[in-house]
Amino acid sequence: MVERVKGIQGLDKALNGGIPEGNMVLVSGGAGTGKSTLCLQFLMNGANLFGEKGLYVSTEQSLAELRKQAASFNWDLDGLINKNMLKILYFDITKGDSFMKKLDETINSFKPKRIVIDSMTTLTDALLVSGIEEDSAFSMVQIAETVSPIPKTEQIIAKSILYRLILELKKHEVTTMLTSELFEGSDRLSADGISEFITDGVIVLNALAVGDQMNRTLQIRKMRYTPIEAGINSYSIMDKGISFED
Ligand SMILES: Nc1ncnc2c1ncn2[C@@H]1O[C@H](COP(=O)(O)OP(=O)(O)OP(=O)(O)O)[C@@H](O)[C@H]1O
Ligand SMILES: [Mg+2]
């Protein structure tokens, strides 16, 4: 029987009990749809309710910014960090930090059960901009060489990152959420157009302003190893974070 990793009520129900353990799940959505909030809440609940350690790898918001976000929901981020149940790892992609190496070291020492990578889009963009620099910045020498004569498109780079991540994360039996930006009107499920095929699950977040209301909806487009409830799940982001409507 597949073990479930529970995080947020409503989402777990739609997933028939939670994310199958070990899955790598893409969380896609437009700007401000709540990707980071959903991911952070998944880790907060994991630590608070299930005693599972969470690692939040951020390439966008710094620790101070994540603190500010958590404080707006009254979440005790620092309490969990001090208890060694939560770790925030911030990568400044403009500095070419060695992403894979640092990730590997942190996973080995911290031993998280849940990991968030926010965001896949920034990682891909960093490699696109730096071109061949990925060798030093991301230790992706082998993959970079095998695709060498082919121009490094967003999709090839996204694939390289994902294959490296899959190799890395599958070793450790962790459940992962990766975020991806979606542009308004895009018919893709990720910014790079490839992550949705490689990951085990795809959750798409939407926000539509109707009058003075924000209609927020979540759709599970795919989740390997479990049946899912078809349909649209409505949620709101309020003073305690994300909550789903019954
Ligand atoms: N304390 C709060 N109370 C109510 N709503 C909030 C609160 N904090 C944030 N929000 C809402 O959540 C939205 C942002 O959520 P979040 O940062 O998780 O989105 P995101 O999808 O990660 O955005 P981005 O694309 O910028 O990374 C805000 O635009 C705001 O509408
Ligand atoms: Mg975000």
Side-chain angles (χ1 to χ4, degrees):
M1 212 185 70
V2 59
E3 294 291 328
R4 303 292 176 150
V5 178
K6 292 180 186 293
I8 302 168
Q9 263 184 11
L11 177 58
D12 292 340
K13 184 168 167 280
L15 286 167
N16 253 286
I19 298 172
E21 191 176 21
N23 272 12
M24 185 187 275
V25 179
L26 188 71
V27 177
S28 297
T33 47
K35 302 178 293 295
S36 302
T37 305
L38 181 98
C39 288
L40 190 55
Q41 197 166 335
F42 173 71
L43 297 191
M44 298 287 308
N45 285 356
N48 282 324
L49 307 177
F50 303 101
E52 293 188 359
K53 283 185 175 183
L55 171 65
Y56 194 103
V57 182
S58 174
T59 56
E60 289 179 1
Q61 289 167 289
S62 64
L63 174 59
E65 289 167 330
L66 286 167
R67 262 197 192 113
K68 197 162 39 163
Q69 180 162 357
S72 84
F73 298 123
N74 256 316
W75 294 345
D76 185 12
L77 200 70
D78 285 312
L80 284 181
I81 293 174
N82 293 337
K83 276 194 247 164
N84 206 33
M85 290 304 289
L86 181 71
K87 196 182 259 308
I88 312 271
L89 199 57
Y90 173 66
F91 280 95
D92 184 345
I93 47 139
T94 60
K95 290 199 179 131
D97 279 353
S98 182
F99 183 82
M100 287 297 172
K101 187 162 169 278
K102 217 159 165 184
L103 183 65
D104 185 49
E105 284 168 4
T106 310
I107 297 174
N108 278 324
S109 59
F110 183 58
K111 301 197 185 333
K113 287 297 290 174
R114 305 173 183 219
I115 297 183
V116 164
I117 298 181
D118 188 15
S119 76
M120 179 65 200
T121 314
T122 320
L123 276 184
T124 314
D125 287 350
L127 289 190
L128 262 179
V129 172
S130 64
I132 311 300
E133 292 296 310
E134 69 251 39
D135 295 1
S136 56
F138 292 81
S139 330
M140 300 211 297
V141 185
Q142 285 164 328
I143 294 160
E145 278 172 2
T146 53
V147 298
S148 229
I150 308 168
K152 289 183 178 52
T153 63
E154 192 178 7
Q155 292 191 338
I156 290 172
I157 287 172
K159 268 190 184 174
S160 316
I161 298 174
L162 284 170
Y163 291 145
R164 283 292 307 239
L165 279 176
I166 288 167
L167 276 178
E168 181 60 40
L169 300 175
K170 297 273 165 175
K171 285 198 303 225
H172 294 284
E173 296 175 348
V174 289
T175 306
T176 314
M177 282 187 178
L178 295 172
T179 65
S180 182
E181 288 157 21
L182 282 189
F183 299 101
E184 297 282 322
S186 164
D187 53 5
R188 292 171 165 189
L189 297 180
S190 68
D192 54 64
I194 204 78
S195 301
E196 58 269 46
F197 297 105
I198 298 175
T199 47
D200 298 305
V202 180
I203 292 174
V204 181
L205 306 183
N206 267 297
L208 185 68
V210 181
D212 58 358
Q213 294 269 327
M214 189 65 97
N215 281 359
R216 298 185 186 274
T217 53
L218 174 150
Q219 206 179 1
I220 303 161
R221 287 293 300 261
K222 121 175 174 187
M223 190 63 66
R224 290 179 183 150
Y225 322 119
T226 180
I228 45 183
E229 272 181 19
I232 304 287
N233 303 279
S234 295
Y235 68 96
S236 50
I237 307 181
M238 298 214 284
D239 50 358
K240 286 183 184 148
I242 286 185
S243 55
F244 286 86
E245 287 153 27
D246 292 326

